Amino acid sequence: MAAVEYVETVVVGGGQQGCGVAGALQERGRDALVLERGEIGQAWAHERWDSLLVGSGNRSIRFPGLEYEGDDPYGCPSGPELARVLRRYATERQLRVRQHTPVRKVECLPHASDHDDVRFRTHLASGALVESRNLVAAVGGYAAPRTPAPAADVDPAVHQMHSHDYRNPRSLPDGAVLVVGAGISGQQIADELVDSGRRTFLAVGRHRAWPRHYRGRSIQEWLGVLSSLYEEFGAAGGDGGPVLPGLPVTAVRDKGDDLNLGTLAAKGVTLVGSVRAADGDRLLLKDNVVETAEAAARSFRRALDLIDTEIRDRGFAAPEEHPAPALPLGSVTAFGETLDLTHHAVTTIVWCTGFGPEYGILPRHVLDGDGAPVRRQGLLGAVPGLYYAGLPDGDSLAPVGIGANVENGRFIARLIHVDHVLRSGSPAPLAG
């Protein structure tokens, strides 16, 4: 018979969101067990490319009861650096995190009531069973690599991988590389490849472009104090499907110029249109390179306009910039509707086409037709006691940010605290 244990709250996922919930519950004296399939910070430490930089900056790496105290708040840490901070936090706070403990499935007991201590059964791959009153799914929305349909029609001689599996230029076969997707991963990887001497193609797609610095401040500083800018930054703007949208590109390896389509083209990256279909060694493209770059340039100018407006309306003192920064379009040219991989000696395609939600461990009745969580509002699941940490809320991406684990965690912890107080008849205050 499988071993059974009980804990008030099970948290699935030992990333920043899961540890943030556990830390917030600890602040309130509530017990929680975090189950992590790999190591704490697994994705940051082991499942991203070597040179990845976290664009939200050092200052965003915060957890319940821990703020950044270093001397480079707007520097961009690497993935392993973020993972090390997270592991140190979990160790110093003595959070109950069970590493290398994959979850096989979660049961939502169909007849459980508000009076029952056991509303969920979490089945571990080991065969053990953990029962709980609350279940927090903190696996995040960016868990399942998404590769589009045309990948299946590419000549098998071409090496293909998702950005999830890319590590560095040395790990790829000799030859030119096509990077598909112009989000954070696509632009950072294309930048690294061209700097390594590889002939690099980048298939563009709709995205936002932002300046790294403007009027004496980093974009992270402006985002922290200007609500209108953060609302624009945090808008999901997706197509309503199960794939979550990406965030603006703000991190560069040399801490110098902006990274965008214009700077990549000036470095020698060949921009090509969005991939529509594949036929062996030929890719059919949209003829949208110039259109996409011009839209990104408008996004760039929009960010400057929002900052200028807030500075003017609120009477802030900030130095003028003349000329104002701009996304350079001088090297951006149309490419056409076909990319012949053999002719251009392209031997590798890196699909930087995003991630989707991966909640297959949960019962079907709490998920929608695309496998994404059904939520009553924000972080609340479809059944009482089920919570989600690290998913967009409405049209805002704000809750998926690294530092948002503090607000997410404390919100969930407060609801669990209120549930306990009201159910137990404790005289403890509800607020606070």
Side-chain angles (χ1 to χ4, degrees):
M1 185 175 179
V4 180
E5 63 179 306
Y6 177 82
V7 64
E8 182 179 58
T9 301
V10 164
V11 180
V12 182
Q16 70 269 8
Q17 294 290 344
C19 288
V21 171
L25 284 166
Q26 185 189 72
E27 288 179 331
R28 288 184 173 272
R30 309 308 315 161
D31 189 26
L33 173 64
V34 180
L35 303 174
E36 167 54 46
R37 61 181 171 83
E39 302 174 8
I40 296 172
Q42 173 75 21
W44 292 113
H46 303 297
E47 297 176 4
R48 298 294 184 264
W49 64 98
D50 297 346
S51 65
L52 174 143
L53 294 177
V54 180
S56 56
N58 287 320
R59 192 173 185 177
S60 71
I61 303 177
R62 50 193 287 267
F63 304 97
L66 177 67
E67 297 289 333
Y68 176 75
E69 296 179 347
D71 57 3
D72 187 19
Y74 300 106
C76 295
S78 69
E81 286 171 339
L82 193 161
R84 284 194 290 271
V85 175
L86 178 56
R87 290 168 184 168
R88 185 168 66 248
Y89 173 76
T91 299
E92 292 176 353
R93 296 294 165 129
Q94 297 183 325
L95 302 181
R96 291 181 61 198
V97 182
R98 198 165 295 169
Q99 301 184 83
H100 305 290
T101 307
V103 171
R104 184 166 60 85
K105 70 174 183 177
V106 173
E107 277 185 88
C108 302
L109 301 188
H111 303 298
S113 73
D114 287 342
H115 302 289
D116 293 324
D117 285 331
V118 178
R119 296 191 288 195
F120 302 93
R121 289 197 182 109
T122 301
H123 297 257
L124 308 183
S126 65
L129 183 65
V130 183
E131 297 181 332
S132 64
R133 178 167 174 82
N134 307 297
L135 191 290
V136 181
V139 298
Y142 299 88
R146 174 182 177 268
T147 301
D153 298 320
V154 174
D155 186 338
V158 178
H159 181 62
Q160 298 186 71
M161 64 171 55
H162 190 273
S163 62
H164 176 271
D165 301 307
Y166 170 82
R167 293 297 174 262
N168 54 59
R170 298 182 304 280
S171 65
L172 303 182
D174 292 339
V177 181
L178 168 66
V179 178
V180 180
I184 293 173
S185 56
Q187 291 194 36
Q188 283 195 17
I189 290 172
D191 187 45
E192 175 178 71
L193 288 167
V194 74
D195 282 350
S196 75
R198 292 288 188 119
R199 186 175 185 197
T200 305
F201 295 80
L202 176 64
V204 303
R206 184 170 60 89
H207 67 285
R208 298 183 183 92
W210 295 71
R212 294 183 63 248
H213 293 86
Y214 183 54
R215 297 190 67 170
R217 301 282 180 180
S218 71
I219 192 65
Q220 288 96 345
E221 289 181 282
W222 289 125
L223 285 165
V225 298
L226 305 182
S227 59
S228 63
L229 188 64
Y230 197 82
E231 288 167 4
E232 183 103 351
F233 170 89
D239 58 8
V243 178
L244 297 178
L247 296 168
V249 181
T250 57
V252 294
R253 289 181 295 122
D254 62 4
K255 296 187 178 182
D257 293 334
D258 293 321
L259 177 61
N260 52 55
L261 297 184
T263 58
L264 287 169
K267 275 188 168 188
V269 174
T270 301
L271 304 181
V272 304
S274 303
V275 177
R276 293 190 298 110
D279 182 11
D281 65 350
R282 294 173 65 252
L283 296 185
L284 305 181
L285 311 170
K286 294 181 181 179
D287 187 10
N288 64 342
V289 170
V290 174
E291 173 190 343
T292 300
E294 289 177 344
R298 289 193 295 272
S299 168
F300 195 100
R301 289 193 296 271
R302 170 68 174 159
L304 304 188
D305 291 343
L306 285 169
I307 294 171
D308 289 340
T309 298
E310 290 273 6
I311 290 173
R312 181 182 64 251
D313 291 350
R314 297 170 68 172
F316 291 159
E320 299 280 351
E321 279 198 39
H322 297 293
L327 191 152
L329 297 176
S331 299
V332 176
T333 58
F335 184 82
E337 296 184 340
T338 304
L339 173 61
D340 187 319
L341 301 177
T342 300
H343 175 76
H344 292 287
V346 174
T347 59
T348 301
I349 298 177
V350 182
W351 296 96
C352 299
T353 43
F355 296 77
E358 189 174 46
Y359 290 93
I361 60 170
L362 298 179
R364 289 298 310 169
H365 72 275
V366 302
L367 305 174
D368 65 18
D370 294 314
V374 174
R375 290 180 281 171
R376 288 176 287 157
Q377 61 177 30
L379 306 179
L380 305 182
V383 297
L386 177 60
Y387 305 93
Y388 296 95
L391 287 178
D393 185 9
D395 290 330
S396 176
L397 279 174
V400 311
I402 293 167
N405 78 80
V406 178
E407 289 74 23
N408 293 342
R410 286 177 173 160
F411 177 79
I412 292 171
R414 182 178 67 82
L415 294 179
I416 290 174
H417 167 76
V418 168
D419 173 79
H420 169 76
V421 170
L422 292 179
R423 188 170 59 96
S424 66
S426 166
L430 297 179

